[in-house]
Each structure stands twice: as structure tokens, then as C-alpha cells.
Amino acid sequence: MNASSSRSVLLVISGSIAACKSPDILRLLKMADIQTRCVLTQGGAKFVTPSTLQTLSDSPVAMDLFPSHETESTMQHITLARWADLVLVCPASAHLLARMAHGLADDLASTLLLATTAPIIAVPAMNTHMWEHPATQHNVTTLKQRGVHIVPPAYGFMACGETGFGRMPEPSVIVDEVLTFFRTQKQKTGPLAGVKVLVTAGPTHEPLDPIRYIANRSSGKQGYAIAEAFADQGALVTLVSGPVTIPPPAGVRVILCETARDMHKAVMTTCPYDIAICTAAVADWRPETQENQKIKKPDTPKTNTSAPYSLTLVENPDILAELSHPSPLRPRLVIGFAAETENLIPHAQAKLHRKGCDWLIANDVSPAHQVMGGDHNKIFLLSRHDNKIEAWDTLPKTDIACRLVHHVLTCESAWRSSSK
Ligand code: CTP
């Protein structure tokens, strides 16, 4: 299940060596559940084949303004221009940028770029001197003034052997621009427009000394997926994350932190929120003292058995319990997670009432289930107000996230109609 499958991007690929990266862009757009179609210029076709693009976009690649086959429409420039929610010109060669700036319509790509009323993102990629040439810079300024969003080229080593600005940014950076565009649009029109959502995610690290810490195996994947799913429906999402290896999601405010106390501070200083989802595996305790220098082993002769080293731990603030506490600032919906390794439901029920949140999502994180660090999850959703327990099938974490958002939307509309 994905709530955002109606988004469509028309990828216009022009003649730059960076066109060879367009299959990666199509793959990432597909993974984000965005429909794609491709227009390939004659120059673009020197660097990537139509059949590769057709395979990845699941549709024929358009190349000609006046197709040779009678079955193909001569109005493709209009149908494609109307089909797209967004036109992504990537890579945008110096020549295509110039034709766009001057309103030329001498091939399919340039003609549909005149015909479309959809927003346009252009990603220039070319040799540094071509990029810095006053003619190109003038064309880029003209296009920006007309509302075309330009993703500036990156700095680095280029295929021509020079180093400088002109490289196409990595495909993930370009796809993040596309996702940010759609999420920003949804913040005006989506079902959760104007709703402030907090997601905590990942583990916390509790330092012992400058190089050691106490941590847990949380990857942050479930929390990050939930943050993205809420953003896809137009919510203003703040993701407060412990140390993870996942890149920050597009169109989401991300606050990175290390310890439970950092996470607590980040949450409390950014309140209030309408909805809070605490997925973070917050360390319950931290070492009472953090040494300024590396803790050394006692200098005892090897023959002696050294004495055990003991740590004193003190309790960390409980973010979920504090958010759930009745107060004028309490989010209207507080959702916690229960990571358990035994007696899942009884422990989760006790936790739900102890913390005072509205819903608790219980999952079994025993190593055998491979939930921590894995891509799938099996959850039970417990509701405090009606004592209901829903068992969900094992699903990818991204699908759990979409289903959770759908559940929130369903409940919110029921609450709205019952309070009328
Ligand atoms: N939580 C929190 N702050 C803490 C500890 C936990 O916000 N200091 C939140 C987690 O984000 C999660 C829920 O509380 O939503 C339950 O976390 P879990 O680790 O399962 O439970 P604990 O409260 O730590 O209880 P226990 O360790 O006894 O299972």
C-alpha cells in the first residue's frame, strides 16, 4: 500500500554524458512510487539507450516530434505535457537550456517544454567553462526568473578530465529534490496539511568516555519510513533522530542528536505538536559520570586477576511518558512503540497504561525475528481508549508506515465527524 502513487514525473534527458545516470534516477523514482515517462533527445540517445529507459519506466520512450510510425500520435508534445505533474529536465545540456530560455521548439523535448504548464526542475550538467560561460549563466537566470527550479551542478572531477562546477549531482540528491517538491505541494493540499508531526527515531548513544558509549541495535528504519509517509500526506514533520546511517528524508525537518538527554531537549524545545510518534529506542539509563579521558585498565601485573569494573547508571528522562502527560501542550495523538523480547502483549499493555500514550505499537525484537536492522516488521496496535488490539501482517517497514498514516487519517476523520 502506498498513499502517494498518483505522482507522475516526465524525465527529459538531453545530450550530456551524465545521461548515463538516468537509469539510476528512474530506479529511485520507482522505489519512491512515482510514475515516470521519458523523453530522449537525439543527443541524449548517444549516452543512454531507449530500451534501458523503457524497461525502467515501464512505458515507451518518446523521441520524435513527428513519429515515423503511423500508430504514434503527432500530438505527443501535448499529451506528455499534460500527463506530467512535474517535468524533470535531467541532465539539462547547455544547448537545451539555451533553447528553453529562447523559447525554441525544434524537437519534441523543447516543444513540450513550451507546451507544459507543469512545474519544471532542470538539472544542468556540462563542462565547467560551458557552465560558467556568460551565455549559459544568462539563460539560467532567465529560466529561474520564469519559475524553473534549477538544481545547481556539483563540484568535482568530470568526464572531460577537468575539475570544477558542472557535474550532475548524485541521483539520490536529484530524487530528493523531486520528493521535496511533491511534499511541499502536499503541505498546501494534502489530507494532513497544517498538521505538525513529531517522529523520534533510532538509538541513543550514552557516552562512557570520549570514545566509548552504551547503545542498542535500532537502525531507525521504521521511524524514518513513518516520517516519510506522514510527509507524503502533507504533514509538517520534525524527525528527531539518534545516530543512524540512513540519509535524512527529503522535505522533513531533521534534528540529529546523540544522547537521550539531547533527544529529550530537542523534543521539548520544539513542542507543541499535533501528533507524536515515538519510535526511538531511547536508552533507559546513562553512566552517572562521563570521563573526559579514555578509561584505562588498572595497572596490575598480568598474573593478578583484575577486580571487576562497575558502572553506576542513572535513569534518563522518558520522552514518551512526558509527551503523554495531560497538559495544554499534549499532542492530540501520542503513539509509542514497545520493543519486547518476551510476553509481547502483556508487556505492551502494561507499557501503554504506564506511559499514558493513546496507541502503542508492539513488536517482538528478539534476534530470531530480525526486526532490528531488518526491512520488515510484524506489529500489534494497542489502543488505550477502547482496549482494542489489532494484529497486522508481516510487512515491509515502508508499508507499515503507510498503513499507520492511513489508520491515523481514518481515526482523525471519525473523531472530526463525531465531534460535530
Ligand atoms: N521511550 C522514551 N524515552 C525513554 C524510554 C522510552 O520516549 N527514556 C519511548 C520509546 O520511544 C518507545 C516507548 O517509550 O516509544 C517504549 O520504549 P521501550 O524501550 O520499549 O520501553 P521502556 O520504556 O524503555 O521500558 P522497558 O525497557 O522496561 O521495556
Side-chain angles (χ1 to χ4, degrees):
M1 182 202 325
N2 196 315
S4 49
S5 49
S6 58
R7 303 174 297 187
S8 53
V9 168
L10 183 63
L11 179 60
V12 177
I13 302 157
S14 63
S16 154
I17 177 80
C20 65
K21 293 187 191 166
S22 39
D24 285 335
I25 295 173
L26 285 174
R27 191 176 47 79
L28 292 174
L29 289 171
K30 196 172 188 174
M31 281 167 66
D33 208 32
I34 293 173
Q35 293 177 49
T36 50
R37 295 188 69 177
C38 295
V39 170
L40 186 61
T41 67
Q42 295 301 326
K46 304 275 184 222
F47 300 102
V48 62
T49 67
S51 45
T52 305
L53 302 173
Q54 176 163 344
T55 309
L56 287 162
S57 63
D58 301 320
S59 55
V61 174
M63 292 184 70
D64 299 313
L65 190 54
F66 304 107
S68 44
H69 294 288
E70 278 174 17
T71 48
E72 290 176 43
S73 163
T74 48
M75 298 293 274
Q76 288 204 93
H77 60 293
I78 303 295
T79 46
L80 287 169
R82 285 186 189 150
W83 173 83
D85 290 326
L86 173 71
V87 180
L88 176 63
V89 188
C90 178
S93 65
H95 187 219
L96 184 54
L97 288 173
R99 287 186 291 151
M100 287 168 74
H102 290 85
L104 301 187
D106 56 356
D107 69 355
L108 178 61
S110 54
T111 309
L112 80 83
L113 284 162
L114 274 183
T116 193
T117 55
I120 300 172
I121 297 180
V123 189
M126 63 199 73
N127 164 275
T128 305
H129 301 299
M130 291 172 75
W131 170 247
E132 288 173 352
H133 195 285
T136 305
Q137 288 302 310
H138 189 263
N139 291 334
V140 167
T141 305
T142 304
L143 292 171
K144 279 185 186 169
Q145 282 165 351
R146 277 190 212 141
V148 174
H149 177 68
I150 303 283
V151 180
Y155 183 89
F157 182 75
M158 285 179 293
C160 58
E162 288 177 17
T163 300
F165 284 101
R167 266 179 74 86
M168 191 172 89
E170 289 308 311
S172 60
V173 173
I174 296 162
V175 172
D176 273 0
E177 293 277 353
V178 171
L179 287 172
T180 302
F181 164 81
F182 281 120
R183 287 175 181 161
T184 310
Q185 245 192 1
K186 275 282 170 105
Q187 285 171 8
K188 294 174 210 133
T189 58
L192 289 173
V195 177
K196 285 181 73 186
V197 171
L198 164 76
V199 180
T200 69
T204 62
H205 288 180
E206 307 299 327
L208 283 158
D209 65 19
I211 57 163
R212 302 185 181 101
Y213 54 81
I214 298 174
N216 60 67
R217 295 181 195 279
S218 168
S219 65
K221 284 181 186 173
Q222 186 64 83
Y224 275 58
I226 289 173
E228 298 216 41
F230 273 95
D232 278 338
Q233 297 304 326
L236 293 165
V237 180
T238 300
L239 173 63
V240 178
S241 172
V244 295
T245 55
I246 314 174
V252 165
R253 174 168 70 149
V254 180
I255 304 176
L256 297 175
C257 50
E258 187 187 358
T259 66
R261 285 190 296 175
D262 294 341
M263 189 174 275
H264 175 261
K265 188 173 166 203
V267 168
M268 297 309 156
T269 54
T270 54
C271 279
Y273 291 99
D274 300 301
I275 298 172
I277 307 112
C278 294
T279 73
V282 186
D284 292 323
W285 298 283
R286 66 178 181 277
E288 186 176 37
T289 52
Q290 182 190 336
E291 302 300 333
N292 289 329
Q293 302 298 334
K294 187 182 170 204
I295 302 166
K296 304 298 286 180
K297 280 186 289 195
D299 202 8
T300 47
K302 280 217 166 96
T303 46
N304 284 7
T305 319
S306 47
Y309 184 79
S310 58
L311 282 172
T312 304
L313 300 176
V314 293
E315 208 169 330
N316 273 324
D318 191 320
I319 302 163
L320 176 64
E322 202 170 319
L323 281 170
S324 304
H325 194 73
S327 97
L329 292 185
R330 187 194 193 278
R332 63 173 180 260
L333 178 64
V334 183
I335 307 173
F337 267 67
E340 308 293 345
T341 55
E342 57 173 357
N343 300 326
L344 180 62
I345 299 300
H347 278 162
Q349 280 169 322
K351 204 170 275 183
L352 174 64
H353 292 283
R354 193 170 70 239
K355 305 260 186 180
C357 53
D358 303 297
W359 300 351
L360 195 80
I361 295 175
N363 54 358
D364 189 333
V365 294
S366 318
H369 291 91
Q370 297 183 340
V371 167
M372 279 199 158
D375 290 324
H376 289 74
N377 205 352
K378 157 92 186 145
I379 66 125
F380 294 84
L381 188 117
L382 286 71
S383 163
R384 188 162 60 92
H385 307 288
D386 56 13
N387 286 317
K388 276 194 187 154
I389 302 178
E390 269 187 33
W392 292 8
D393 293 336
T394 300
L395 292 169
K397 287 180 176 175
T398 45
D399 286 7
I400 299 255
C402 290
R403 192 164 161 182
L404 180 65
V405 174
H406 187 70
H407 199 70
V408 168
L409 283 170
T410 312
C411 293
E412 290 235 315
S413 72
W415 293 330
R416 264 199 296 272
S417 47
S418 67
S419 64
K420 271 182 193 158

